[in-house]
Amino acid sequence: MALATRTDRRPSLARTVWDSTLGKKTVMAVSGLIMLLYLVVHMIGNLKIFFGAGEFNHYAHWLRTVGEPFMHYEWTLWLVRIVLVAAVVAHATSAYQLSRRDIRARPSKYVHKKARASYATRTMRWGGVILGLFIVWHILDLTTGTVHSGGFQEGHPYQNVVDTFSTWYGNVVYLVAMLALGLHIRHGFWSAAQTLGAGSRTRDRALKTVAGVLALLLTAGFIAVPVGVMTGVVS
């Protein structure tokens, strides 16, 4: 009689963590904080446009030479892009799977209505979709120039930004996305803090205040650029 071979294997630790709800929430929190750090740096860089074309174009060129001569031309920039893409994919995947898991866990409506969530909480999913679509449009507009209006000029980011925000649809897309971003950060930062164990009864108010301030500053900072173009401050 042949001996039966054991084919079942215990899942790896990484798989076990990923399959758990807490694991997915942790991935979502960490990837969200990585993107938040990038947004803060990106906003500061964007505001250089108010110092003129020379300053802004020089900054854009510097991004491609960071780390030289140890790093080759654009290597650091591509490394940042790879990390960001990984963070976006991890964040979106974990968010989607958590959403599906939440829906399966409650197939029927609650007998008693839950307390009304904040506007930011109730729009997190749609906000994520809007931001995902915006990222694609933003890359095609100002990185590859595929959908850029007025003729994309390689190596002239200042003029490309002015061209984009000289169109009504460029402003509408950007403003809607930045408002969605503000709501996403306001709720997401606080949720990430809770997931990573930073929240407590005594710190919740402070964390919510920090989340609100961050959301307001980032939204205002990003919106300042199209407003500057629309008002003629940037031209």
Side-chain angles (χ1 to χ4, degrees):
M1 180 177 178
L3 294 175
T5 57
R6 187 178 182 86
T7 58
D8 57 315
R9 294 180 179 179
R10 294 183 63 184
S12 65
L13 177 60
R15 181 72 187 190
T16 301
V17 171
W18 171 249
D19 286 342
S20 69
T21 296
L22 179 59
K24 292 183 188 298
K25 286 185 176 181
T26 301
V27 169
M28 193 174 177
V30 173
S31 59
L33 291 176
I34 290 173
M35 290 186 286
L36 179 61
L37 176 62
Y38 167 77
L39 287 171
V40 171
V41 175
H42 188 44
M43 181 202 69
I44 294 172
N46 280 3
L47 294 177
K48 287 181 175 291
I49 201 168
F50 290 99
F51 295 95
E55 181 79 12
F56 191 71
N57 289 340
H58 177 69
Y59 162 69
H61 176 72
W62 172 81
L63 290 175
R64 288 158 173 76
T65 61
V66 173
E68 288 188 342
F70 178 75
M71 299 291 281
H72 194 61
Y73 182 75
E74 286 195 342
W75 277 15
T76 302
L77 182 59
W78 274 106
L79 181 61
V80 171
R81 286 170 175 169
I82 291 170
V83 171
L84 281 174
V85 169
V88 170
V89 171
H91 195 77
T93 302
S94 55
Y96 174 76
Q97 293 185 0
L98 283 169
S99 177
R100 298 301 301 171
R101 183 171 293 184
D102 182 54
I103 292 173
R104 287 196 300 269
R106 47 182 178 86
S108 57
K109 294 183 178 179
Y110 291 107
V111 176
H112 301 289
K113 290 184 177 180
K114 295 175 70 178
R116 186 179 182 183
S118 69
Y119 184 76
T121 304
R122 290 183 286 114
T123 56
M124 280 294 284
R125 289 177 185 141
W126 281 112
V129 172
I130 290 172
L131 290 172
L133 294 174
F134 169 75
I135 289 172
V136 174
W137 176 83
H138 196 53
I139 291 172
L140 293 176
D141 179 34
L142 292 175
T143 300
T144 67
T146 307
V147 299
H148 186 74
S149 62
F152 185 77
Q153 300 181 50
E154 187 70 37
H156 295 82
Y158 182 93
Q159 190 56 50
N160 292 333
V161 170
V162 172
D163 288 343
T164 290
F165 296 128
S166 295
T167 63
W168 68 268
Y169 58 86
N171 287 310
V172 169
V173 169
Y174 196 85
L175 293 175
V176 170
M178 291 307 101
L179 291 175
L181 175 66
L183 291 173
H184 211 75
I185 291 172
R186 179 175 174 268
H187 177 72
F189 180 84
W190 183 82
S191 295
Q194 302 304 309
T195 298
L196 298 176
S200 68
R201 184 175 299 178
T202 56
R203 290 196 293 265
D204 275 358
R205 180 175 295 181
L207 286 170
K208 287 182 178 180
T209 300
V210 171
V213 170
L214 269 174
L216 181 61
L217 288 177
L218 283 168
T219 302
F222 281 118
I223 286 179
V225 178
V227 170
V229 175
M230 286 188 287
T231 57
V233 175
V234 177
S235 61

